[in-house]
Amino acid sequence: MRRQSNPTQRSRRPCRRVLLGLLAALTLAVPARAARTVPVQIDGTELAAVCHLESGVTYVPLRALLNTLGGWELEWDSRQRAAVAISGSSRLTASPAAGTVTVDGAARPGKVYVQEGVTYVPLRTTAELLGGTVEWDAYFQGAAVTSAGAEYNAVDFYWLSRIISAESRGEPLEGQIAVGNVVLERVENEDFPDTIPDVVFQQADGIVQFEPVENGTVYLDPAEQSVEAAKRTLAGEKTLEGAMFFYAPALSEGVWINANRTYLTTIGCHRFYL
């Protein structure tokens, strides 16, 4: 006798194929296991997006990255099953299936994945294809991108603008530039560390050199005028020469500075010393 097919079984086969397809798509879309979230900043501006650090690679939402860089239009190409961005004559393609990021024909391997509708790309791979550089900032505990054509190193600008703001927010621009001058004088002096962040976070005998590091205000977003002061300082503008110390008499007695350093000038509420 011929066995009659079960109509219920027939109806389940297409559903099974659909389910397998969905599972395959999810395998492509979700990262293996993001170890933790990390901050990312671009040219001193922190990326307002969740970024993942996985096996030493930082992954960022492509749209957030390109929006911060500016000038890009991004869309999902359903035919290519890839994210495609255009900026002038430049074209960027991020393909989860191929595991590549391509800019103007130059392709580099790197995991690309989609999570909750957001396309994630490997930060260093993508930034370098766009002509930028990426470094890990231990004080920021995240990645810093200096974009192509940026006037200043992203890490230097990030911390200089913040220490100027924390130390002299509300002071005249001249005084804020003077605080920046002190930081750069220390960078150039052999008695101090040779990078801006290392100077800002330096400790001598367990004592921090800048009070905002101790009280945490160095981590606050900088005031607009402090950002301008940082840019001018990094561009070489000086309001004083040779000063490596300062203090505000209204907040500190400055006993050690007065006893050991040579007074130079007063700008705003700060006294500056050689």
Side-chain angles (χ1 to χ4, degrees):
M1 185 174 108
R2 184 177 178 182
R3 183 177 179 182
Q4 185 176 357
S5 298
N6 187 329
T8 304
Q9 289 180 332
R10 287 202 307 271
S11 64
R12 284 177 178 172
R13 285 170 187 161
C15 293
R16 184 171 181 272
R17 286 197 295 270
V18 171
L19 179 60
L20 289 173
L22 287 173
L23 289 173
L26 286 172
T27 301
L28 180 67
V30 179
R33 186 182 177 116
R36 62 188 174 98
T37 59
V38 293
V40 172
Q41 64 105 334
I42 300 172
D43 297 333
T45 299
E46 193 164 344
L47 208 62
V50 176
C51 305
H52 301 144
L53 179 65
E54 178 191 337
S55 301
V57 178
T58 301
Y59 295 91
V60 300
L62 180 59
R63 185 178 298 279
L65 173 66
L66 296 181
N67 284 348
T68 303
L69 290 172
W72 288 88
E73 294 291 334
L74 175 66
E75 62 181 19
W76 180 261
D77 187 322
S78 57
R79 184 180 60 83
Q80 295 186 63
R81 298 179 63 196
V84 177
I86 303 294
S87 177
S89 60
S90 292
R91 179 184 179 91
L92 180 152
T93 303
S95 172
T100 58
V101 179
T102 305
V103 176
D104 297 335
R108 286 180 58 176
K111 184 173 72 174
V112 177
Y113 61 89
V114 180
Q115 184 174 1
E116 297 180 354
V118 178
T119 302
Y120 283 81
V121 294
L123 176 62
R124 184 179 298 277
T125 295
T126 307
E128 289 180 351
L129 279 169
L130 294 172
T133 59
V134 181
E135 57 189 302
W136 184 261
D137 182 349
Y139 301 107
F140 180 61
Q141 282 296 292
V145 178
T146 303
S147 67
E151 296 182 56
Y152 321 106
N153 174 271
V155 174
D156 289 347
F157 178 58
Y158 185 90
W159 290 117
L160 186 62
S161 62
R162 278 158 177 75
I163 194 62
I164 289 174
S165 183
E167 285 283 7
S168 58
R169 183 188 295 259
E171 288 292 293
L173 181 60
E174 178 188 12
Q176 294 197 27
I177 293 173
V179 169
N181 292 159
V182 168
V183 174
L184 293 194
E185 285 285 352
R186 290 190 175 197
V187 170
E188 295 300 320
N189 189 288
E190 61 182 12
D191 293 331
F192 294 90
D194 57 5
T195 72
I196 288 174
D198 284 345
V199 164
V200 170
F201 288 93
Q202 182 188 16
Q203 294 189 22
D205 299 323
I207 301 174
V208 297
Q209 297 294 292
F210 293 95
E211 186 177 354
V213 172
E214 185 174 44
N215 63 30
T217 55
V218 72
Y219 299 103
L220 300 178
D221 289 339
E224 185 177 343
Q225 184 168 262
S226 301
V227 171
E228 177 65 21
K231 290 179 179 179
R232 293 195 183 195
T233 303
L234 290 170
E237 185 171 335
K238 294 185 178 182
T239 57
L240 45 73
E241 289 276 358
M244 290 192 294
F245 297 85
F246 65 87
Y247 78 97
L251 301 175
S252 171
E253 295 182 358
V255 175
W256 182 88
I257 293 180
N258 281 310
N260 294 276
R261 310 303 302 189
T262 302
Y263 171 74
L264 178 61
T265 190
T266 296
I267 303 176
C269 72
H270 287 118
R271 292 170 60 90
F272 292 87
Y273 293 74
L274 300 175

